[in-house]
Amino acid sequence: MFGLPTFTTVVILGVPTLWIIYTVVFMWLSRGWKREDVEETP
């Protein structure tokens, strides 16, 4: 990619990809947190 070494290309594309996957997984796992907080409060 643009004459960059393979390792640099992997880092440039891999880090944002991993961050997006991390964010999607976190949002999926935390989708019910608000509902759980509402149930605990009297």
Side-chain angles (χ1 to χ4, degrees):
M1 183 172 115
F2 306 115
L4 294 173
T6 304
F7 177 76
T8 306
T9 304
V10 169
V11 169
I12 290 173
L13 297 176
V15 170
T17 303
L18 290 174
W19 187 256
I20 290 169
I21 292 170
Y22 170 83
T23 303
V24 169
V25 169
F26 176 80
M27 290 178 71
W28 184 75
L29 290 175
S30 64
R31 68 192 185 280
W33 286 2
K34 185 177 180 182
R35 185 170 50 246
E36 291 175 2
D37 291 343
V38 169
E39 291 173 358
E40 292 178 4
T41 56

